[in-house]
Amino acid sequence: MTYYSGEHLSDRETSTQEFVRSLAKAELHIHLEGSVQPETLREIHPSLTLDEIRANFHYNGFAGFLKTYVWVTKQLHSPEAYALATRRLLESFERQNVSYAEVTLSAGVILWKQEKLEPVIEAIASEARNFPHIRVGWILDAIRQFGAEQAARVFAVARECRMLGVVAIGIGGDEERGPASWFELLYEQARAAGLGLTCHAGEVAGPASVWDALRIGAQRIGHGIRSLEDPNLLSFLRDRDIPLEVCPSSNVCTGAVPSLREHPIRKLWDAGVPVVLGTDDPALFHTDLLHEYTLAADIFGFSREELKQLAANSLLYRFPQRQ
Ligand code: ADE
Ligand code: ZN
């Protein structure tokens, strides 16, 4: 796992950081719940100690990570708690010079908690209006393994909340326990309603999972790193201009790839596949967007021109806005 501390950066890294900070860029793959820092959880639950919270932030492997993610989500017990999470996230975007973000809300987990979704969306959208320099679109995510009925409820709310800034729908969670085909009709209906379609796929499961996501109409793929195993899929993504939302630190922390050096981002890029960098769950992966760009430079050899292209991609592949 990579730990990031701004205090120990060498001069070269510092200047890369400054360069990256100066770039106009967007964050397109980030989960609100996964952005909540231990300190913010403590603001929400003063009775929890930071040590207790940090102990809960430890996990092993992808299944362990999903459990931790659900634990964090359970701590967000009110619309106000989600609003505070939003405020802290947008403050971090300000520090990183992120001017646009599409933030995913695990709406399926909110329904699973038997909480109402609309008040949460109203609260986070209202908080985001306090940051006029940052445009925010919301992506409502259903959880694959919870099935199509739960997803239908999530996507119905997404359609109703477009005026609050909901721009797209997605499916996350465990791709091995909820095939994309379950959601085919729902994706078609969401597309017809003008919502963007993204889909976590090819993160831990192989290329067939990415093909399944494309078959139901996904316009972007969350992660998609295992596309590298299928040359036809790489050509398809390149020719149809379908981007992968690639989150290197996430993939190492969840065990999706064994180490940063073995991460396929450079090969995907060299194959001409559109790539957008994201953080996924920055609080759980000890990262932020500046750090992911710095890794692109330092570990994967992205030149300044290529970093500029990555930043340009993040703005190019946004979902259309309605407001
Ligand atoms: N929800 C939050 N982070 C996720 C990830 N990396 N994969 C699937 N679902 C998620
Ligand atoms: Zn994700």
Side-chain angles (χ1 to χ4, degrees):
M1 193 178 292
T2 312
Y3 285 92
Y4 165 54
S5 159
E7 289 159 29
H8 300 111
L9 296 174
S10 69
D11 285 351
R12 190 167 141 263
E13 282 169 319
T14 306
S15 64
T16 303
Q17 278 245 335
E18 278 163 10
F19 174 74
V20 168
R21 196 185 170 282
S22 74
L23 295 173
K25 61 194 167 300
E27 164 73 280
L28 301 186
H29 192 122
I30 182 164
H31 300 258
L32 178 62
E33 299 86 341
S35 76
V36 183
Q37 299 291 343
E39 293 75 10
T40 309
L41 277 185
R42 185 122 208 280
E43 285 183 80
I44 295 167
H45 292 286
S47 63
L48 289 176
T49 67
L50 278 179
D51 283 347
E52 278 169 318
I53 296 167
R54 292 201 179 108
N56 275 287
F57 272 38
H58 280 116
Y59 51 84
N60 266 314
F62 187 71
F65 156 72
L66 287 180
K67 281 192 189 140
T68 293
Y69 185 82
V70 169
W71 181 83
V72 174
T73 304
K74 278 188 186 158
Q75 309 312 309
L76 304 175
H77 53 32
S78 64
E80 292 73 28
Y82 280 90
L84 182 63
T86 302
R87 188 181 324 155
R88 296 290 173 251
L89 175 59
L90 295 187
E91 286 165 355
S92 130
F93 287 156
E94 271 181 340
R95 289 192 294 273
Q96 299 177 76
N97 191 29
V98 170
S99 54
Y100 177 82
E102 285 171 8
V103 180
T104 296
L105 179 72
S106 288
V109 183
I110 296 176
L111 295 181
W112 172 79
K113 290 190 292 177
Q114 306 203 328
E115 292 167 7
K116 286 213 175 80
L117 198 45
E118 290 87 339
V120 172
I121 298 169
E122 279 159 17
I124 60 182
S126 161
E127 184 62 48
R129 283 195 288 278
N130 294 328
F131 293 79
H133 309 304
I134 304 174
R135 245 182 118 79
V136 180
W138 300 98
I139 299 176
L140 294 200
D141 204 60
I143 311 302
R144 280 168 172 264
Q145 65 269 27
F146 291 174
E149 255 176 54
Q150 168 258 170
R153 291 175 63 204
V154 169
F155 300 160
V157 175
R159 286 201 295 273
E160 283 159 22
C161 292
R162 293 200 61 203
M163 294 314 288
L164 292 173
V166 174
V167 294
I169 53 118
I171 47 176
D174 189 345
E175 58 183 314
E176 281 168 330
R177 289 196 296 136
S181 58
W182 287 356
F183 309 95
E184 183 166 11
L185 179 62
L186 296 175
Y187 263 57
E188 170 56 30
Q189 289 166 346
R191 193 195 56 73
L195 287 160
L197 311 177
T198 184
C199 185
H200 282 70
E203 178 185 17
V204 288
S209 177
V210 180
W211 282 117
D212 287 349
L214 295 169
R215 223 168 270 125
I216 67 168
Q219 297 150 337
R220 295 197 321 232
I221 302 292
H223 301 282
I225 51 174
R226 290 195 57 188
S227 303
L228 193 68
E229 296 165 31
D230 181 345
N232 290 332
L233 179 53
L234 293 178
S235 307
F236 188 92
L237 294 167
R238 187 191 59 218
D239 297 347
R240 303 288 172 104
D241 201 21
I242 295 175
L244 303 183
E245 305 157 2
V246 179
C247 313
S249 293
S250 161
N251 300 141
V252 176
C253 289
T254 63
V257 301
S259 71
L260 263 185
R261 299 214 172 265
E262 290 161 271
H263 195 283
I265 184 170
R266 181 81 231 181
K267 289 182 178 145
L268 292 165
W269 178 269
D270 289 343
V273 174
V275 169
V276 177
L277 269 186
T279 57
D280 207 13
D281 302 290
L284 298 172
F285 304 142
H286 309 281
T287 190
D288 64 14
L289 197 56
L290 298 188
H291 185 57
E292 296 305 302
Y293 276 80
T294 304
L295 291 177
D298 293 350
I299 309 285
F300 305 112
F302 280 65
S303 66
R304 298 251 160 143
E305 266 322 298
E306 288 170 329
L307 294 180
K308 276 191 201 166
Q309 187 59 51
L310 275 173
N313 281 358
S314 72
L315 293 163
L316 180 66
Y317 291 105
R318 289 177 287 188
F319 286 126
Q321 306 280 305
R322 183 177 234 194
Q323 301 156 300

